[in-house]
Amino acid sequence: MKLCFIGGGNMACALIGGLIAKGQIASDIHVIEPTEAQRQALMQRFDVTVFERATVQAVARDVIIMAVKPQHMREAARALAPLLSGQLIISVAAGIRAVDLSQWLGGHQRIVRTMPNTPALIGAGITGAAGMPGLAEADRELTTQILGAVGVCVWVDAEDNLDAVTATSGSGPAYVFYFMEAMQNAARRLGLSDEQARLLTLATFSGAAQLAAQASEPVSVLRERVTSKGGTTAAALSVFATHEIDRHIEAGMQAAHQRSVELGAEFGRSDR
């Protein structure tokens, strides 16, 4: 599998590192990265071939992964368009709709739009993916193989569903960090040291997530098993229920979803 990455930032590095760890040949990876310091870092870290700009030689690969910032995607795509020869294009740029990317690529249709999340940086990510209509099954499998290097790949039926993916797993790590931060702060106020609060919180989240992943029951059942009538957990959950924490979480995710929709429209505006 011969790959070309447009952009050599954090997500590209995560994918490159994950792929090489799973047996991908480094010499079969090209990276187009305009920053000299980053090109040197990529060569030293991964021993891949780097280019300053897109050329026929650079993009003569089976798959092109577009990993530039959303605000730079239009420029990168238009520079790439005249160099294409039917490659599979995988976009990991948040908010860029496939229809807009296709337009910038001169009508190219062999496109997959994805929404990864930051745990991909340690190989524990989850990525939502949606292909343009008519995408071949072989391209779906190839995309799953590439994204699987940094975690799990989940396909959605329609690209619009990626806005829900964004609100759930794309932004989700920040929700978890927010809750962890609140727990650590509360633990310190209850008399624990900074290190004790940190270790107890991190281990609790990690253990609970692993337990939920391995359990056959829904998380609601797991919650009920921890909650004894009249006990400490019940007292805490009663406060959460009084303040309708679940409704606030849903409202926050609705806001994230709406903003994802808005960003897609903003990035795709013809006057940008």
Side-chain angles (χ1 to χ4, degrees):
M1 182 166 54
K2 298 183 184 298
L3 307 171
C4 175
F5 285 82
I6 311 292
N10 288 336
M11 193 56 65
C13 286
L15 284 164
I16 292 168
L19 287 163
I20 291 174
K22 291 182 179 296
Q24 171 68 39
I25 299 171
S27 59
D28 284 338
I29 298 176
H30 289 178
V31 183
I32 298 169
E33 168 56 52
T35 305
E36 171 64 22
Q38 185 63 12
R39 291 199 301 275
Q40 293 296 326
L42 287 161
M43 287 190 290
Q44 292 173 9
R45 181 177 177 185
F46 301 116
D47 196 27
V48 295
T49 304
V50 299
F51 298 82
E52 182 178 358
R53 62 181 60 85
T55 65
V56 172
Q57 177 189 4
V59 304
R61 309 278 89 184
D62 304 311
V63 182
I64 297 174
I65 299 98
M66 303 198 70
V68 300
K69 294 183 183 299
Q71 59 268 34
H72 299 150
M73 182 63 90
R74 180 193 296 265
E75 179 184 0
R78 286 180 169 169
L80 177 63
L83 307 175
L84 289 176
S85 56
Q87 296 97 323
L88 172 63
I89 305 292
I90 300 174
S91 169
V92 298
I96 302 297
R97 298 177 301 193
V99 65
D100 296 315
L101 182 56
S102 175
Q103 179 184 352
W104 301 335
L105 290 172
H108 192 86
Q109 295 286 304
R110 195 181 172 198
I111 296 173
V112 176
R113 177 186 166 193
T114 71
M115 181 64 228
N117 66 0
T118 54
L121 300 176
I122 60 167
I126 187 163
T127 303
M132 291 199 75
L135 186 75
E137 183 61 31
D139 285 342
R140 291 171 64 94
E141 293 173 358
L142 189 54
T143 300
T144 299
Q145 178 184 347
I146 292 169
L147 298 175
V150 293
V152 178
C153 179
V154 175
W155 287 85
V156 295
D157 295 331
E159 184 183 353
D160 287 349
N161 292 140
L162 287 181
D163 294 317
V165 171
T166 299
T168 304
S169 59
S171 298
Y175 313 155
V176 175
F177 299 147
Y178 184 91
F179 201 99
M180 292 170 74
E181 183 181 7
M183 279 186 62
Q184 289 183 59
N185 289 337
R188 284 192 289 267
R189 294 188 188 101
L190 290 171
L192 297 176
S193 70
D194 288 352
E195 186 62 15
Q196 289 169 336
R198 178 179 181 276
L199 289 175
L200 288 165
T201 299
L202 292 178
T204 298
F205 270 80
S206 176
Q210 291 181 57
L211 179 59
Q214 295 176 23
S216 58
E217 303 92 343
V219 292
S220 59
V221 173
L222 300 180
R223 171 182 53 75
E224 290 166 0
R225 286 179 180 168
V226 184
T227 311
S228 301
K229 185 176 181 180
T232 59
T233 307
L237 293 180
S238 176
V239 174
F240 293 165
T242 298
H243 291 279
E244 298 186 316
I245 299 299
D246 57 341
R247 292 183 181 273
H248 288 303
I249 291 172
E250 181 177 352
M253 291 180 64
Q254 290 283 1
H257 179 275
Q258 180 59 33
R259 186 56 183 150
S260 179
V261 173
E262 293 169 354
L263 286 172
E266 289 175 14
F267 285 128
R269 283 206 315 261
S270 61
D271 60 346
R272 278 188 65 87

